[in-house]
Structure formats: structure tokens, C-alpha cells
Amino acid sequence: MAVSLSSYSTFLSPVLRTKFVYRKSQELKLRFSCRPVVLNASYSSTSSFSWDDVYGVISKPDDSTSHSSKLDGFLQRIKTCNRGFEMKSEFLPFIIEEQIAGYVHNQFASHLRKFQDVFAFPEDNLFGNGGGGGYVILNPSLKLPEDRTKAVGDVIKCLGEGVIPGIRNELYPVTTSYGVPAYFSLERAAAPFFGIKAYGIHLIGYVDRDGEKSLWIGKRSDMKPTFPGMLDHLAAGGLPHGITCKENVMKECQEEAGIPRSISNGAVPVGAVSYVDINGYSYKRDVLFCYDLKLPADFVPTNEDGEVESFRLIPVKDVANIIRRTEFFKANCCLVIIDFLFRHGYISPEDPGYLNLLQSLRSGDCS
């Protein structure tokens, strides 16, 4: 099969020019050249607040008139991570080895239909798609994980930044649950477009002085392609293929906060949070493994990878108010910090809405 550029031009960005050659070996060869693509403004724009604004929020008197209103602010942050359930019918199940491995928007699927040697689209309703039947599978000739990884990876390279922004050349495992063998590995930026389950590690670094806990909070670099300039906790990262959570924690601690392994080795796994965020063609199904790290009182983090502009040490109660009153934090970080508030007694069963808020921290499938 040969795919011409002219037949594909309705789907590709006009700045992307690609030449396809399909050889008898059934290997898809992709030769392409790309000019720079201007990303969507919502993806690349920076936040418009400073540390002065953050401290301005902290300095305001508590405006809660009841315990309920306090928890309502937290619940709103969690809802930000769990959008678009009404759009689920617009997605086709992505089936691998007769298991649902992800979800693909029917419009994004129009890009994939051009690669018939990689994807196929049965029309039956075998997997219960409420949007009218049909699902996406890999070509049955792609049986080995490494063959699937290469074939799908070549398609993603072809689609490029004009369709899938933020390509990082970092692979995520495609699997139905954590710890089981991967069907194949997928470019990280493409994970939400295929609706696969993605895993990450999030670490909260705190200092305890005379019984009062404070968190080290980072402000993301304005140059970050995702959530630039927003607040973040001390260290976090997606979980790539072939690395353990513990090893990833220590790697991210070193890169993002300059924490030596002699200290980060003491990070304690404390559970997980999850969410499902459907927005446009994106179907994010994320599970975040949470870690606590008690830091020496005299430790000061320093960023080593250019992804964090600066850090501040802020009392936990003030961090809670920032989350409750503003949208300064990167959205999924709010879930991790709210979970910390539960575990360290800053939210109690006496607060109306306690169980509802607790349950909402795991709105996605934690498997």
C-alpha cells in the first residue's frame, strides 16, 4: 500500500511534508521532514501570577463560613481533573489481544485509518461501544511487542507535532493494569490520544519543625511546554517503560530538586490517586503513585533540569488555602496534596463531605 501526500493533506498540518514507502516486507518506512509547528496557545501560554500573588492569597483572612465550604474548594480542584464523561460515546475502544487497552476519539481515528497496515477498524459492537459500534485494533500481523512499538511509533512520527503536540521520544508501556506485561510501548505525548492508562510518581517533600509541617513548593518554568509557570510539589514524573517507581522517584528527585539519593532513598510510598480527564481528542486515564519524603530542616532544593523556576517552603495550612482558593497549582498536583492533607490529619471525618472528597481522589481505575 502506498499513501500519497496529497491524499493525506486534509489530515496533516500544512507545515508537515511526508513521503511514505511501503515495502514487501510489510514494514512501513517513513521519511519525513518537518518545519516548526506553532502549538495551540492553551498548550504553550504561561501563567500570569507571581510568588507575590501566592503570598497575597495566603495573607487573606480565612473566608470559610463552614467546614463544608472548605472542602468544596478542594472538590472543585478534583473536578478539574475529571472532565468530559459526557463525551465518552465519541471514543472507540482500542482493543489489543481482546482486551480494552485504551480509547480513541472517532475524529482522531480518521488519521489512523490512513495506515491500514498498522490499524484496523472492525464495525461490530463486540466491546460495547455506546457510540454506535466499532473499535480500533492493531493489524493482526503485528504480533510482537517490538513490532507494534515500531509500527505505531512510525505513525506517530508521521503525524508529528501538527497532530500530536509535545512529542518527547519517551515511551510508556501499553497495558491494562500496573505490573503486567506490556502489549507494546507508546510515545508519551500520544498516550492521551490512544486513551491508555498512564502511571506516574508524585513526591511531596516536607519539613517538620516543632510539630508544624511545611511543604517545599516549586513554580514551574515558563519554558515548560505543559502547565508553564504553575505551582507544583517537589518532584514528579511519568513512569516510562522499564523503570521501577522507586528508581524513578530518586531520578526525579535529583533532576528536579537536587535531592541526593542518600536522602531520596528515604521516600515512603503512601498510596495512589487516579482520575479520568476527557477533553477534545484526549482521554487521560492516569494513576499517580504518591510518596512522602521528610527532609532535613536545613535542606534547600535546587533544580537541575531547568524545569523549575524557583522553590518556596510554605506551611501546609497555607498550601491548603492556595489550593482551595485558587487554580495556581497544576491540576493533578492538587489531588496528591489533598491526599496528603487526609493522611496527616488536616481534613477530618468531622468535616461535612469528608467521605465524598476522599472517594473522589480515586475517580479513575486504580489498577
Side-chain angles (χ1 to χ4, degrees):
M1 181 191 77
V3 184
S4 68
L5 178 61
S6 59
S7 67
Y8 198 59
S9 61
T10 56
F11 299 101
L12 288 178
S13 164
V15 298
L16 180 64
R17 295 179 295 175
T18 309
K19 184 177 180 181
F20 308 85
V21 178
Y22 184 67
R23 296 183 176 175
K24 292 181 180 180
S25 64
Q26 295 202 1
E27 178 183 6
L28 184 64
K29 299 292 185 181
L30 303 174
R31 299 198 299 272
F32 55 93
S33 61
C34 300
R35 298 175 186 171
V37 176
V38 178
L39 301 182
N40 192 314
S42 64
Y43 186 80
S44 59
S45 62
T46 60
S47 67
S48 57
F49 67 88
S50 66
W51 282 115
D52 287 342
D53 296 315
V54 173
Y55 286 110
V57 171
I58 293 173
S59 66
K60 290 181 179 179
D62 195 337
D63 57 359
S64 294
T65 56
S66 68
H67 289 298
S68 178
S69 63
K70 178 182 74 174
L71 298 195
D72 283 347
F74 297 141
L75 190 59
Q76 288 303 313
R77 302 292 86 77
I78 294 173
K79 287 181 177 179
T80 300
C81 289
N82 292 277
R83 303 173 296 173
F85 288 102
E86 70 280 1
M87 297 172 57
K88 187 173 181 179
S89 63
E90 299 178 13
F91 289 77
L92 303 173
F94 179 33
I95 307 300
I96 306 177
E97 297 179 10
E98 299 186 352
Q99 300 295 317
I100 297 178
Y103 297 90
V104 176
H105 193 274
N106 52 33
Q107 293 300 314
F108 181 74
S110 65
H111 296 281
L112 306 183
R113 290 180 187 275
K114 295 294 178 177
F115 303 93
Q116 296 178 16
D117 56 316
V118 181
F119 299 100
F121 295 82
E123 295 295 335
D124 60 73
N125 198 29
L126 183 62
F127 292 92
N129 176 30
Y135 48 96
V136 185
I137 63 172
L138 293 176
N139 189 301
S141 67
L142 299 170
K143 298 184 182 300
L144 299 177
E146 54 267 31
D147 293 338
R148 295 166 175 169
T149 298
K150 185 180 187 309
V152 177
D154 285 344
V155 170
I156 291 166
K157 288 177 183 177
C158 170
L159 295 177
E161 293 278 346
V163 177
I164 301 174
I167 292 176
R168 306 186 184 195
N169 297 313
E170 180 181 333
L171 296 177
Y172 273 8
V174 178
T175 182
T176 54
S177 59
Y178 179 71
V180 303
Y183 297 123
F184 70 98
S185 298
L186 179 69
E187 159 62 40
R188 174 176 178 169
F193 291 90
F194 286 85
I196 69 166
K197 294 187 71 174
Y199 300 89
I201 57 92
H202 281 235
L203 177 136
I204 289 182
Y206 70 96
V207 173
D208 193 337
R209 290 194 179 104
D210 300 323
E212 181 178 353
K213 294 184 178 70
S214 297
L215 306 187
W216 277 108
I217 301 299
K219 194 172 190 298
R220 295 162 70 90
S221 167
D222 285 341
M223 302 306 294
K224 284 280 288 181
T226 55
F227 307 100
M230 300 196 74
L231 299 185
D232 209 333
H233 41 57
L234 190 56
L239 189 63
H241 183 63
I243 185 172
T244 66
C245 285
K246 182 70 171 181
E247 183 64 26
N248 204 25
V249 165
M250 291 191 288
K251 178 179 76 71
E252 296 293 345
C253 279
Q254 182 68 56
E255 293 175 355
E256 296 191 354
I259 303 173
R261 286 174 175 257
S262 58
I263 295 178
S264 63
N265 189 53
V268 179
V270 291
V273 296
S274 62
Y275 58 95
V276 179
D277 184 29
I278 304 173
N279 182 30
Y281 294 175
S282 171
Y283 197 127
K284 287 179 66 66
R285 300 192 296 146
D286 289 359
V287 178
L288 310 179
F289 294 104
C290 303
Y291 286 77
D292 284 356
L293 178 60
K294 185 176 180 179
L295 292 163
D298 60 351
F299 176 80
V300 178
T302 55
N303 180 246
E304 295 187 356
D305 61 6
E307 295 189 355
V308 182
E309 170 196 293
S310 54
F311 295 97
R312 296 290 189 275
L313 186 63
I314 302 177
V316 172
K317 291 181 180 179
D318 292 336
V319 173
N321 277 332
I322 296 167
I323 290 176
R324 184 170 58 81
R325 297 172 178 175
T326 76
E327 296 181 358
F328 287 172
F329 271 93
K330 179 173 175 282
N332 63 359
C333 295
C334 294
L335 275 66
V336 178
I337 296 175
I338 293 170
D339 181 69
F340 181 93
L341 298 177
F342 272 105
R343 292 185 289 99
H344 290 263
Y346 293 90
I347 301 174
S348 71
E350 287 68 41
D351 295 323
Y354 177 89
L355 290 177
N356 182 45
L357 183 64
L358 182 64
Q359 184 180 40
S360 69
L361 290 174
R362 294 159 188 86
S363 297
D365 176 15
C366 264
S367 68

